[in-house]
Amino acid sequence: MTISPSGRWLPALTLTIIVTAAAASPAAGNPPVSQAAPSAATLLRPARVWTAGEPVHEGWVVLIRGSRIVAVGAAGTARAEAGARVIELPGATLLPGLMDAHSHLFLHPFDETRWDDQVLKEPVPYRTLRAARQARATLLAGFTTLRDLGTEGADFADVSLKRAIEDGLIEGPRLFVVTRAIVATGSYGPAPRSLRPDVCCTPQGAEEASGVPEVIRAVREQAGRGADWIKVYADYRWGPGGSQQPTFTEEELKALVETAHSSGRPVAAHATTAEGMRRAILAGVDTIEHGFGATPEVFRLMAARGVAYLPTLTAQEAYGEYFEHYVGGASAPTAGMQQAAEAFRTALRAGVVIGCGSDVGVFAHGTNYRELEWMVRDGMTALQALTAATATDAQILRRGEDLGRVRAGMLADLVAVSGDPTRDIEAVEHVMFVMKDGVVYRSP
């Protein structure tokens, strides 16, 4: 199953299961994890249901048993099983749980605390506690799955955060983690050039490596520590005057990708320059993050190689707000925002698979929806943006068989928003219901 550049599934799927239920009492609002009962049957009655590749279905209902969707379709006359609860969602559109495939739960907005100070001054236990709070805010905003692309100096704490969510100790989205990320020695931060030459052993935002043996060792260490993906910085601001330049050689990148893939782990590459992207693509990475400086030729290479793109448009808006006096709705887009928008449109024209990845953490957690709104402003339709944040991200995460669609047999990750986001994407801001794995975390 693939997704076309227009955002439609090929071939389209049709669902005709008919389900109804007798009346039951509505669910209580916002039950904690310890009180949720995912084994009981639940019938959801929204105004409409949307899933990728299908029209909006007015009047459909969804039946959940345990952690799975068991039926989806038009309401009929059959009785629900005894004890099933019915949750009425009037005026709402039911969607698959939203996903953000580029997030940083261990960061918080840079207008609160600059990145260097978060890495150098905030203890890892403190950052972990904050990350737990931010994970809950993300889930309640309708994002039931995140790929967290680096702890940025918080070591391997994302593995423990993921475990705490899975064990029900805290509330949060399903996580795919990369632990520390891998950077070329001397290329990342806190930058050595900003410190005295005799200062040593300062925390770094990622794991440094130089040469093929060190790159291989870093991949194996991170895999052994629990990374689901491997992240590499194919370029960064380490050139003269802080310019963006490629970091690793093609040989180093190929060794990294081969080692990661042999362990069963995909690779995400931070890359903002055309040359950094080219090297990463030829090395066989699975996703490119940012890609602001790409040329049409590089995007065509991505499309030909099947490399997915996470554009992080909202991060550029946030940088404009923090450092360039940008005010949304009152000032012109910054040069960085314009460059990101043009790259996004170029990728669309080239037929690149585009997922939803926002770089949240640079801006406030729980406002991940801003990325969908920017994707629409910069050239996607609302349907394409919704598909990117559901079915496409599920494919990117290798979970298209059980996540990203409202369909019988899929995991019951479901979100309801007021209004119809297929007509007005800003409806994704107004979340009234959240379910993950059949557990209700937010309800009217």
Side-chain angles (χ1 to χ4, degrees):
M1 192 71 66
T2 59
I3 300 174
S4 73
S6 67
R8 291 188 58 82
W9 285 90
L10 302 174
L13 299 173
T14 56
L15 306 176
T16 56
I17 299 171
I18 298 178
V19 184
T20 59
S25 29
N30 300 334
V33 172
S34 60
Q35 294 182 15
S39 60
T42 301
L43 187 81
L44 305 180
R45 293 184 180 272
R48 63 196 70 84
V49 174
W50 176 86
T51 192
E54 298 183 32
V56 174
H57 298 289
E58 300 285 344
W60 274 29
V61 295
V62 178
L63 182 66
I64 298 100
R65 188 179 299 115
S67 63
R68 298 274 174 176
I69 300 170
V70 294
V72 182
T77 58
R79 292 185 53 145
E81 58 202 76
R85 61 177 173 174
V86 176
I87 300 179
E88 301 286 351
L89 300 167
T93 302
L94 190 72
L95 314 166
L98 298 171
M99 304 183 190
D100 190 335
H102 189 128
S103 65
H104 293 283
L105 284 170
F106 288 83
L107 293 177
H108 57 104
F110 299 165
D111 61 341
E112 297 174 357
T113 307
R114 295 295 177 93
W115 184 88
D116 274 20
D117 288 339
Q118 292 185 45
V119 175
L120 292 171
K121 299 179 181 180
E122 294 182 352
V124 172
Y126 177 84
R127 294 182 67 188
T128 306
L129 291 169
R130 183 194 287 274
R133 180 174 181 175
Q134 293 172 163
R136 183 176 188 273
T138 303
L139 177 63
L140 296 183
F143 284 79
T144 58
T145 298
L146 293 185
R147 185 180 58 159
D148 197 80
L149 283 184
T151 61
E152 304 290 335
D155 300 326
F156 304 97
D158 53 352
V159 177
S160 295
L161 181 68
K162 174 185 174 180
R163 178 181 174 184
I165 292 170
E166 291 176 346
D167 290 349
L169 300 179
I170 60 173
E171 297 177 348
R174 178 179 289 99
L175 292 185
F176 296 82
V177 300
V178 307
T179 71
R180 298 180 65 192
I182 299 171
V183 295
T185 301
S187 67
Y188 200 53
R193 62 179 173 273
S194 65
L195 304 172
R196 284 172 39 173
D198 59 340
V199 173
C200 76
C201 309
T202 57
Q204 282 289 297
E207 183 171 2
E208 294 186 316
S210 284
V212 168
E214 286 191 17
V215 164
I216 292 173
R217 181 204 54 78
V219 171
R220 289 174 175 165
E221 178 185 13
Q222 295 190 15
R225 295 279 190 170
D228 301 306
W229 280 65
I230 300 299
K231 181 183 179 183
V232 62
Y233 281 74
D235 53 29
Y236 206 66
R237 298 187 297 269
W238 75 310
S243 61
Q244 299 272 3
Q245 299 293 340
T247 50
F248 290 109
T249 65
E250 287 187 46
E251 180 186 21
E252 289 170 318
L253 289 171
K254 287 178 180 177
L256 181 146
V257 171
E258 181 179 349
T259 306
H261 284 179
S262 70
S263 77
R265 290 168 175 83
V267 178
H270 166 112
T272 63
T273 66
E275 178 58 18
M277 292 175 69
R278 188 192 68 81
R279 293 183 191 181
I281 295 162
L282 293 177
V285 302
D286 300 279
T287 67
I288 293 288
E289 317 299 313
H290 313 300
F292 305 136
T295 62
E297 292 74 21
V298 167
F299 277 129
R300 286 195 289 270
L301 181 63
M302 281 183 68
R305 297 283 180 119
V307 179
Y309 178 42
L310 287 308
T312 66
L313 302 170
T314 312
Q316 289 300 97
E317 178 192 33
Y319 287 129
E321 291 171 346
Y322 304 154
F323 308 121
E324 299 177 75
H325 311 292
Y326 172 76
V327 178
S331 55
T334 66
M337 292 168 66
Q338 293 178 53
Q339 184 186 37
E342 181 55 34
F344 182 74
R345 289 189 286 266
T346 303
L348 271 175
R349 290 192 294 268
V352 175
V353 173
I354 302 177
C356 177
S358 69
D359 215 359
V360 67
V362 174
F363 61 97
H365 295 276
T367 66
N368 312 59
Y369 56 78
R370 292 165 60 183
E371 186 71 11
L372 283 84
E373 294 172 356
W374 272 112
M375 293 169 95
V376 172
R377 292 188 198 110
D378 287 344
M380 273 188 170
T381 66
L383 287 172
Q384 286 175 309
L386 290 168
T387 299
T390 55
T392 305
D393 273 359
Q395 275 200 326
I396 289 169
L397 295 171
R398 278 58 173 169
R399 292 294 297 272
E401 76 284 353
D402 62 358
L403 291 174
R405 286 173 286 167
V406 184
R407 184 182 183 188
M410 308 293 278
L411 285 171
D413 282 19
L414 299 164
V415 172
V417 301
S418 299
D420 185 353
T422 69
R423 297 177 180 272
D424 177 10
I425 195 62
E426 292 185 3
V428 295
E429 297 182 25
H430 308 296
V431 174
M432 60 189 298
F433 174 85
V434 178
M435 172 181 278
K436 188 190 79 173
D437 277 335
V439 178
V440 176
Y441 292 90
R442 182 172 189 170
S443 64

